[in-house]
Amino acid sequence: MAGKSIVVIGGGTGGIVLANHLREKLAEAHRITVVERSETHAFAASFLWLMVGQRSREDVTRPLRRLLRRGVDLVVGEAREIDSKERLVRVGSETIGYDILVLASGSEMSLDSVPGLAGTETFFTLDGAVRLQTILSDFRGRKVALVVASTPYKCPGAPAEGAMLIRDFLRQRGVAAEVDLYTPEPQPMPVAGPQLGEAVRGMLAERGIGYHPGHALRSAERGVLAFEGREPVSSDLVVAIPKHVPHKILRTAGVTNDAGWAVPDPRTLATRDPSVFAIGDCTSIPLPGRWNPGTPLSLPKAGVFAHAQAIALARRIVCALEARGSAPEYCADGFCMLESGEHLAGFAHGDFYAMPAPEIHLKNVGKSWHLAKVLFEKWWLAPPGPQKGVFATAIRAGGKLYGLPVTL
């Protein structure tokens, strides 16, 4: 069979894992190309640690080329258009042909969706986390407000983690500031159900953090948060989880919903165009189960899901191109290590495609989950090779110890 061209738009979690697994399993005749606007990869899961001074910019960034296997082509540039009829991707002035296209473009931050939001701080970007590290180190105010601008946003546990880490950091500095979290959601991490929501509420309460659900943000100007049908709130420091929006290139592929998110099949990750697949944060995947009859759920936007989708899709592509093995389906098993400060973390895992609702299991807060997250960070930022293999062996051993399946 003549070699095929597989183009991956996006060099984040899903794009890196997919490209590396394909390069490892496919014959050299097949060409694998990753298109990414930046030549530097930033590990977003570590932005929380960066915010509170436990990491530096250099600790959480790597040249993207170093994270990709040899034999994966990297094109650095802005993917601006997909011509699905001719099977072409336009990147700047360059045109790249494809037989298989994978959309892994992630989500983008919009700071102009709410008046005044651009004047707030955030740990959801690399530059924002670096800036917050300086601000928190000098902070002497009395009130800190974290606010979720809108849903969906990536990493459902991040707002609570951010609040707990900021509270812990200020406490260590001797700053007795109030920390409050405001969100339009009815509970923490609503997709995971009421039991986990109550557990996170308890974690926040134990640390003296105010939790305020049902607060839809209208504006965030000059430290004053205005909400729909709620009293305004003043704060010395506002930390926002910005609105997340899809990359505009998705619409040019003709595989999106009205909001602009790519809509793949939940199991095969194929879109209505048989040559185009979609994984990770750029997708909108409805869940079969729900906690309340009138409230449909969607698969969260999180690196753990992008990672697993990339592995499942890589195996399907290998099966299709080289007729090896049976094509697996994506099963939506996922987990979350919830940082709570003091080098402690909680852990939740389960089947998000379960019926009649996602089946989530909770583990007690402890140092082991924090250490597991540190080990995964080291594995992720290591280049392909022996060092990465050592970290992978340790992670798999830890997963086996706790009875958790680990796929890297």
Side-chain angles (χ1 to χ4, degrees), residues 14 26 29 59 63 66-67 77 79 90 93 125 157-158 168 189 223 229 232 279 300 324 343 356 388:
L26 284 177
D59 290 333
R66 283 187 58 194
L67 300 181
R90 294 186 175 87
S93 59
T125 66
D168 182 53
M189 304 172 68
I279 60 175
R324 283 198 273 131
H343 302 294
K388 202 176 190 80

Side-chain angles (χ1 to χ4, degrees), residues 59-133:
D59 290 333
V60 304
T61 57
R62 294 290 186 275
L64 178 56
R65 177 68 267 170
R66 283 187 58 194
L67 300 181
L68 295 171
R69 283 183 176 274
R70 188 175 300 172
V72 175
D73 295 331
L74 174 61
V75 175
V76 177
E78 184 79 32
R80 57 186 180 84
E81 185 183 5
I82 296 166
D83 184 339
S84 55
K85 196 171 190 179
E86 298 296 328
R87 295 191 178 182
L88 298 172
V89 178
R90 294 186 175 87
V91 184
S93 59
E94 185 177 356
T95 300
I96 304 172
Y98 67 84
D99 297 291
I100 296 173
L101 177 66
V102 181
L103 304 173
S105 54
S107 57
E108 301 184 309
M109 306 296 137
S110 174
L111 291 173
D112 57 3
S113 60
V114 175
L117 197 67
T120 64
E121 305 300 329
T122 187
F123 56 82
F124 265 65
T125 66
L126 176 63
D127 289 340
V130 170
R131 177 179 163 85
L132 257 176
Q133 183 180 124

